[in-house]
Amino acid sequence: MVGTTTAQRRRSALASIVTLITAFALLFGASAANAAPNAPDEGDDKSLREVLEAASKGHIEAKAKLDNSKKRQGELAAQYDALQQQLVALTDEVGTMAAESYRLGRLTSVTMLLNSASPENMLERAAGLDVMAQREGRNLRALNEAHEQAARAKAAIDNEVREQEKQVAIMARKKQDAQRALAAVGSQASGGFISTTSAAAQPAPRNSNGSWPSESCNVDDPTTSGCITPRTLHAMNQAKAAGFTRYVSCFRSGGSGEHPKGRACDFSAEAGGFKDRDATGDNRTYGNNLAAYYVNNADRLGVLYVIWYRQIWMPGNGWSSYNGGGSPAGDHTNHVHLSML
């Protein structure tokens, strides 16, 4: 009887353990499945990442508006130049018509009677002066309209100049925001990673005005069971096409930054996956080249920022030192981090 009781207790304890394991699996299974098994724990500073994201996004949006304004200004300038040429031609033509009208005299009953040798001559002269008057009226109306169009074009150009000044000021403020946030954690300008041999990526789709379309996390992430944005997938595929084919992990359900939004990827410096050690030799060269690739193609792809080997690159701010806490994952010395708009 005692043996039976002990066996029952053992079975009951085993059942409890199985139940707990099942509960944990159900609770955390989705999160574990959504991330790569050896995805790096970057130890994100949430407040810092939020400031950097806002600063980079604000800079990129202002830059797109600035570029669009410059494009419109160029179109308006061409229109204004064409109108100026039209004004010169119309002014000359109106002047010629005025001189001819002055030489022949205006059509009145007196001039017709005094200067006409015959009734037929009088009618011919009347018809000629009437045609001249009509032409002169058309030219004068065209001249006035050209003047008004030129004035409107000039006012539109002035508006574009003011818009550009506004966007330049916004870009300056966003740069200051980023610099203050980085300075608060001991960061300062650095040399970064530069390559003049990076391949040119195929540009990601933009709106007709040059801005970046808003995207949600609605594309299957090929590196996890999560999701990423179409622009993030495009950036990852472009890097692969350029020869950067080592291990990648994008979506993570937890943490701060862009990973949970499907707008970030971590690229291992080593071919076999993320290792808890600083990249050296060929692995570090791989990371250097990949970081440079994304910086050189930032405007084509919609890059928000890049972190690699204790340095961070942001549009408008360039490379700055980056302290992630000392670990290879936190300092990003074992992987390149890419964040996208």
Side-chain angles (χ1 to χ4, degrees):
M1 188 70 177
V2 174
T4 302
T5 302
T6 301
Q8 289 175 340
R9 287 175 179 172
R10 287 176 178 172
R11 285 195 297 271
S12 177
L14 180 60
S16 298
I17 293 172
V18 170
T19 301
L20 285 173
I21 292 174
T22 302
F24 274 105
L26 290 173
L27 183 61
F28 298 109
S31 296
N34 282 335
N38 58 346
D41 180 6
E42 298 176 305
D44 294 335
D45 183 330
K46 183 177 180 181
S47 60
L48 175 62
R49 286 292 186 97
E50 288 176 349
V51 172
L52 297 183
E53 178 184 358
S56 287
K57 187 175 181 180
H59 172 91
I60 292 170
E61 290 175 349
K63 179 66 165 53
K65 291 179 181 178
L66 176 64
D67 292 342
N68 194 39
S69 178
K70 288 181 177 179
K71 180 182 177 181
R72 289 196 304 267
Q73 182 182 352
E75 294 169 349
L76 288 166
Q79 178 185 350
Y80 182 76
D81 290 342
L83 287 168
Q84 290 296 106
Q85 295 176 12
Q86 184 181 355
L87 280 170
V88 171
L90 286 170
T91 300
D92 290 344
E93 191 168 349
V94 168
T96 300
M97 293 290 296
E100 186 176 357
S101 177
Y102 176 79
R103 183 176 61 83
L104 296 176
R106 294 290 180 181
L107 179 61
T108 66
S109 59
V110 175
T111 55
M112 282 190 295
L113 290 172
L114 292 177
N115 299 328
S116 299
S118 65
E120 291 80 6
N121 181 259
M122 181 184 72
L123 290 175
E124 289 176 3
R125 190 166 186 279
L129 289 172
D130 184 54
V131 170
M132 184 185 300
Q134 292 180 22
R135 286 174 56 198
E136 187 175 279
R138 286 195 300 269
N139 287 340
L140 284 172
R141 287 191 296 273
L143 181 62
N144 289 333
E145 178 61 24
H147 273 296
E148 292 174 0
Q149 290 179 351
R152 290 194 293 269
K154 180 63 169 60
I157 290 173
D158 292 340
N159 286 337
E160 295 303 335
V161 171
R162 287 191 289 271
E163 173 68 14
Q164 291 165 33
E165 292 172 347
K166 173 184 174 182
Q167 299 306 327
V168 168
I170 291 174
M171 290 165 64
R173 289 198 300 272
K174 295 303 179 182
K175 181 176 181 178
Q176 290 175 353
D177 290 345
Q179 289 177 335
R180 280 195 293 266
L182 290 169
V185 294
S187 178
Q188 56 186 348
S190 61
F193 307 95
I194 302 172
S195 173
T196 58
T197 59
S198 293
Q202 290 294 322
R206 290 183 184 242
N207 295 320
S208 58
N209 64 356
S211 62
W212 291 103
S214 177
E215 293 184 346
S216 59
C217 188
N218 58 7
V219 176
D220 289 341
D221 176 11
T223 71
T224 71
S225 60
C227 63
I228 53 178
T229 67
R231 197 156 45 239
T232 303
L233 178 62
H234 176 75
M236 180 176 61
N237 286 338
Q238 286 298 296
K240 286 184 177 179
F244 298 101
T245 57
R246 296 184 181 180
Y247 192 83
V248 186
S249 174
C250 296
F251 180 83
R252 286 205 293 275
S253 59
S256 60
E258 288 72 42
H259 282 293
K261 304 171 187 175
R263 295 196 286 110
C265 291
D266 291 328
F267 297 79
S268 171
E270 299 196 30
F274 302 105
K275 306 297 182 182
D276 190 25
R277 61 192 181 202
D278 296 343
T280 59
D282 174 69
N283 296 331
R284 183 164 181 177
T285 299
Y286 178 88
N288 292 349
N289 292 337
L290 177 57
Y293 170 82
Y294 276 125
V295 169
N296 290 346
N297 287 287
D299 190 55
R300 295 185 183 94
L301 299 174
V303 173
L304 194 64
Y305 56 83
V306 176
I307 308 177
W308 166 242
Y309 230 92
R310 304 186 186 93
Q311 297 186 65
I312 180 171
W313 178 89
M314 299 172 61
N317 196 56
W319 285 101
S320 300
S321 59
Y322 182 87
N323 182 1
S327 69
D331 284 347
H332 295 74
T333 55
N334 67 348
H335 73 281
V336 175
H337 173 93
L338 171 71
S339 281
M340 301 291 297
L341 277 172

